[in-house]
Amino acid sequence: MEDFGNIVCSAFIVWLTLVVGLIVLPAMFGISLGITEVYMKVLVKTLEWATLRIQRGSKEQQKPTTLVSNGIILRDDGSMEKEITDLRKGRSKPQINGEFELSDIFYFSKKGFESIVEDEVTHRFTSEELVSWNLLTRSNNNFQYISLRISIIWVLGVCIRYCILLPLRVTLATIGLSWLVIGASLVGLLPNSRVKNWLSELVHLMCYRICARGLSATICYHNKENRPMKGGICVANHTSPIDIVILANDGCYAMVGQVHGGLLGIIQRAIVKACPHVWFERSEMKDRSLVTKRLRNHVADKTKLPILIFPEGTCVNNTSVMMFKKGSFEIGGTIYPVAIKYDPRFGDAFWNSAKYNMVSYLIRMMTSWAIVCDVWYLPSMIRQEEESAVQFANRVKAAIARQGGLVDLSWDGGLKRAKVKDTYKEEQQKSYSKMIVGDDSS
Amino acid sequence: MGCNGSTLAKIHNLDELILETGFSSSHICRLYDRFHALDKDDKGSLNRSDFQNISELAVNPLGDRIINAFFPDGMDLIDFNSFVRILARFRPVDQNPKKEPNAPEPINSRVNKLKFAFQLYDQDKDGKISKNELLQVLRMMLGVQVTEEQLESITDRTIQEADLDGDNAISFKEFKKSLDKVDIEHKMSIRFLR
């Protein structure tokens, strides 16, 4: 028994040394040994092979291969006016504007039924569907049993992911987070000086790099010359809490958020000792002017790190960008927009907070193949004189959506939990009434 | 979640449903997923509140009427099979129907689509759209944007045009005639992409 215990111990120590030597240390200094690259190449080859087999298999079963579209029904793109005018065509009477037709009802009922089958808002809070299966059970939406070989590869995949990758990643994450807490606390003991700032940035970067390895994250940064500068505000689309790790791998940011309890609270308290982050108590968050004032003070100090804000306010499934809350755009200062787009083939990064809590989400992340994403730094934007905060927010949102290839929606992400306001219904009624009685009722 | 054998097995009377509605099994699968996505409390059926949670439907001026169409006869809950049957009315019209001599009219025929639209107006189901019923629908679609007088005059004019037998109401026959040239097949159909 004792021998067995000794063997297990020494095996564990060897394992830990390997992990530290091959992964942690190079990660801390930003060097890559190429292990991840090899892994990714093998993975891509395997997935391509699997795709071909599935396509061959489905051809035999005569299933149509379709393009990835963001919806399941065909929608007419016309405006209300165009659609209703179309409906009225074929009437023997001449068109007079300012009339009601019985056929007008078809427009509203069709729109209503379309929204029952599929609506833009609910759609954006479920994971994106894949064109072809990526050998993860969780994304098995429409793919049936194809062949024995695929099933064998799938079983192999499960073993590798759960027995090899998961423990490895959990180890790395633990090392990364502990080092963050310890390192930040140590740096916090130093008096305020340039050395302290430099050390704090170093500690943060190292830990986020280790955490990124802990997720097998392959990140491609584009347009690094537009990287956010001190005293600015960095704004990005939000898909999951991992966004923070992704962005912080390439620069240091001041985080903004609510004070939490538990593990997250410990991390928060530790890192705020090393450099100024902005943490709010739950009660303070309700007071919008207080929040704006604190952020404004932070931004005004040009030596402080850029603030990282996610204006959507909630996690969206990375196929679209939802309404940006105007609060972040009222602070002033330079806005640095960033677009983040995940590649869904390797792992679904979206955090569906209604379905999974944080722990099960992290386990899902750590048992995916990898996290592959692109980050684009967009040129900075400033609010123009005549622009309102809302217009500015929409301008930034459009730029981010365009760069990331995401759909630009005006729906509020908060509709995940709340009901929609009646004002939108009134807008529709207004447009329709213009058609019936004309502008400025006679 | 997912369109595989196990999902299809959960649906009662799947073959009957396919025959009756004309949806393919993969379409029914997708509607099943949608049904359960809307059914947030996992009741196995939907109530009015589940429909009202759909933001796009809540901002539709006729939203409440459309929701009512799913709850005929004063019921408060709808199960999946009934859900699919009502949605089947919006299936595109079949191009070359197999016409058996005694087969009933398919759910998504032109006539049935018209009947459905008629029922959106005719709430008391007396077979006629009265002036009052027309007023109600117009009020829903226009909200507070028009005055009572304008509504009255629009209603009067519409009934005048469509009413052929002079009873100051629009029967289903008159309704059908009035919409004779409208492309119902296209405008009252929802096409599935996959």
Side-chain angles (χ1 to χ4, degrees):
Chain A
M1 265 320 278
E2 274 196 13
D3 282 340
F4 184 66
N6 281 338
I7 296 179
V8 170
C9 260
S10 35
F12 184 65
I13 294 180
V14 169
W15 152 265
L16 210 54
T17 329
L18 272 176
V19 166
V20 171
L22 287 177
I23 304 183
V24 175
L25 284 177
M28 282 165 82
F29 300 106
I31 314 170
S32 167
L33 285 178
I35 304 177
T36 320
E37 275 81 8
V38 172
Y39 169 63
M40 294 300 290
K41 277 207 192 94
V42 171
L43 192 57
V44 170
K45 283 253 155 50
T46 319
L47 289 180
E48 279 174 2
W49 173 83
T51 312
L52 281 170
R53 294 296 304 231
I54 295 175
Q55 279 179 350
R56 230 186 292 157
S58 61
K59 262 192 207 116
E60 282 153 15
Q61 294 168 28
Q62 285 179 337
K63 255 205 291 215
T65 42
T66 51
L67 305 160
V68 172
S69 62
N70 274 328
I72 57 174
I73 52 178
L74 186 64
R75 299 245 191 168
D76 287 321
D77 276 337
S79 66
M80 184 196 282
E81 215 178 309
K82 177 173 173 297
E83 291 292 318
I84 295 190
T85 320
D86 269 352
L87 272 167
R88 294 178 179 182
K89 271 191 206 135
R91 296 274 295 160
S92 38
K93 286 169 67 238
Q95 288 295 336
I96 312 171
N97 215 14
E99 264 206 29
F100 165 74
E101 297 288 341
L102 288 167
S103 55
D104 290 352
I105 202 176
F106 291 159
Y107 171 74
F108 291 108
S109 51
K110 177 172 173 187
K111 280 266 171 283
F113 269 75
E114 277 176 352
S115 60
I116 291 177
V117 176
E118 175 182 69
D119 77 295
E120 282 292 3
V121 177
T122 326
H123 187 52
R124 303 298 168 182
F125 294 120
T126 52
S127 303
E128 187 180 353
E129 256 191 61
L130 295 172
V131 190
S132 177
W133 192 32
N134 65 350
L135 298 175
L136 294 174
T137 320
R138 61 192 71 147
S139 29
N140 189 352
N141 249 328
N142 209 357
F143 309 111
Q144 291 154 355
Y145 174 82
I146 302 292
S147 77
L148 187 59
R149 268 193 233 172
I150 296 257
S151 307
I152 294 180
I153 299 272
W154 174 72
V155 171
L156 205 58
V158 170
C159 292
I160 295 180
R161 283 184 294 122
Y162 280 83
C163 304
I164 303 181
L165 291 179
L166 178 61
L168 173 65
R169 288 172 180 169
V170 171
T171 321
L172 285 171
T174 325
I175 296 179
L177 288 176
S178 339
W179 177 227
L180 180 64
V181 172
I182 299 173
S185 307
L186 285 176
V187 172
L189 295 171
L190 296 173
N192 280 342
S193 64
R194 284 190 50 181
V195 176
K196 178 182 181 187
N197 290 341
W198 178 77
L199 272 177
S200 137
E201 284 185 31
L202 199 62
V203 167
H204 275 95
L205 267 175
M206 282 200 278
C207 301
Y208 285 121
R209 282 198 187 124
I210 300 175
C211 288
R213 292 296 170 94
L215 294 165
S216 296
T218 307
I219 314 168
C220 194
Y221 297 98
H222 305 266
N223 307 332
K224 285 201 192 185
E225 67 275 7
N226 293 328
R227 217 186 279 174
M229 315 259 259
K230 295 205 174 147
I233 304 177
C234 177
V235 154
N237 58 316
H238 201 24
T239 308
S240 95
I242 293 184
D243 290 343
I244 301 175
V245 174
I246 304 275
L247 287 178
N249 250 286
D250 193 43
C252 284
Y253 299 93
M255 313 279 171
V256 177
Q258 244 178 41
V259 168
H260 285 94
L263 178 62
L264 214 48
I266 299 177
I267 301 178
Q268 279 180 324
R269 282 192 290 278
I271 60 178
V272 83
K273 287 186 197 140
C275 73
H277 297 280
V278 188
W279 304 125
F280 292 101
E281 300 289 335
R282 177 148 277 188
S283 48
E284 286 176 326
M285 292 287 279
K286 304 231 163 82
D287 184 353
R288 279 213 22 218
S289 55
L290 179 69
V291 172
T292 317
K293 201 165 91 136
R294 264 183 79 178
L295 291 175
R296 206 174 268 158
N297 287 341
H298 185 112
V299 167
D301 186 348
K302 295 295 173 200
T303 61
K304 294 209 176 140
L305 298 167
I307 307 180
L308 179 57
I309 294 187
F310 297 104
E312 280 163 309
T314 188
C315 292
V316 187
N317 76 347
N318 207 233
T319 58
S320 66
V321 185
M322 300 196 109
M323 184 179 97
F324 275 6
K325 302 206 189 315
K326 63 178 175 156
S328 342
F329 299 90
E330 289 172 328
I331 304 172
T334 326
I335 301 277
Y336 296 91
V338 177
I340 309 176
K341 178 83 176 102
Y342 291 88
D343 188 339
R345 284 180 302 164
F346 298 99
D348 170 31
F350 167 56
W351 182 29
N352 192 343
S353 50
K355 236 171 143 185
Y356 306 106
N357 60 17
M358 178 64 100
V359 177
S360 35
Y361 169 70
L362 284 175
I363 295 184
R364 271 169 65 93
M365 282 298 98
M366 292 186 185
T367 53
S368 311
W369 293 119
I371 306 282
V372 177
C373 61
D374 286 291
V375 176
W376 288 274
Y377 293 110
L378 295 160
S380 58
M381 294 186 174
I382 313 181
R383 185 166 135 190
Q384 307 291 336
E385 293 263 323
E386 331 75 44
E387 237 181 354
S388 71
V390 176
Q391 288 168 327
F392 183 37
N394 286 337
R395 189 160 64 95
V396 175
K397 174 158 70 83
I400 292 183
R402 211 179 316 133
Q403 178 64 76
L406 306 164
V407 177
D408 185 358
L409 294 175
S410 357
W411 291 104
D412 184 353
L415 289 173
K416 198 195 234 174
R417 297 193 186 91
K419 286 234 166 103
V420 69
K421 292 194 250 208
D422 278 331
T423 44
Y424 293 102
K425 192 193 272 196
E426 279 169 27
E427 277 174 30
Q428 289 218 23
Q429 288 169 333
K430 228 183 251 174
S431 320
Y432 184 56
S433 69
K434 283 210 186 90
M435 288 190 70
I436 306 294
V437 294
D439 270 310
D440 277 334
S441 21
S442 42
Chain B
M1 277 256 278
C3 236
N4 40 31
S6 65
T7 315
L8 291 172
K10 288 188 210 145
I11 303 172
H12 299 303
N13 304 328
L14 178 64
D15 293 324
E16 258 182 61
L17 208 55
I18 293 180
L19 211 62
E20 209 184 316
T21 60
F23 280 127
S24 70
S25 58
S26 70
H27 291 166
I28 293 192
C29 236
R30 288 200 176 275
L31 290 174
Y32 188 76
D33 285 342
R34 176 64 172 170
F35 185 83
H36 281 276
L38 293 174
D39 179 13
K40 295 204 169 95
D41 310 322
D42 267 332
K43 307 183 284 297
S45 51
L46 296 177
N47 59 21
R48 284 198 165 81
S49 164
D50 292 320
F51 282 96
Q52 278 154 359
N53 277 333
I54 304 175
S55 310
E56 281 183 21
L57 190 60
V59 303
N60 189 319
L62 288 179
D64 286 328
R65 277 285 159 99
I66 295 172
I67 295 176
N68 276 341
F70 281 85
F71 298 96
D73 312 323
M75 308 227 315
D76 281 326
L77 289 174
I78 184 175
D79 66 351
F80 175 64
N81 289 37
S82 318
F83 179 70
V84 175
R85 275 193 207 101
I86 296 182
L87 287 177
R89 290 166 186 277
F90 274 77
R91 217 165 58 76
V93 178
D94 298 312
Q95 294 302 332
N96 299 315
K98 295 186 274 260
K99 213 46 179 143
E100 282 150 52
N102 291 326
E105 191 93 30
I107 290 186
N108 62 333
S109 69
R110 189 194 157 87
V111 166
N112 276 330
K113 285 186 204 279
L114 278 167
K115 274 202 188 131
F116 183 80
F118 189 76
Q119 271 160 9
L120 284 175
Y121 283 107
D122 179 24
Q123 287 289 288
D124 60 9
K125 298 201 175 58
D126 63 355
K128 290 190 194 302
I129 304 177
S130 68
K131 176 169 165 179
N132 224 3
E133 287 170 334
L134 192 54
L135 263 174
Q136 275 176 22
V137 174
L138 273 170
R139 182 52 88 192
M140 285 178 94
M141 292 202 278
L142 294 166
V144 298
Q145 306 298 327
V146 296
T147 64
E148 196 66 38
E149 293 86 48
Q150 282 168 319
L151 269 187
E152 292 257 359
S153 76
I154 295 173
T155 319
D156 287 330
R157 197 169 46 218
T158 312
I159 296 194
Q160 227 176 27
E161 279 169 19
D163 186 18
L164 300 168
D165 61 6
D167 62 352
N168 227 16
I170 307 177
S171 69
F172 181 61
K173 235 168 119 185
E174 291 159 353
F175 186 71
K176 210 164 78 154
K177 186 146 199 322
S178 163
L179 295 171
D180 203 25
K181 298 212 173 59
V182 176
D183 179 13
I184 308 249
E185 285 82 354
H186 187 85
K187 293 297 176 180
M188 285 273 277
S189 297
I190 298 182
R191 275 164 190 74
F192 275 88
L193 282 174
R194 50 193 166 138

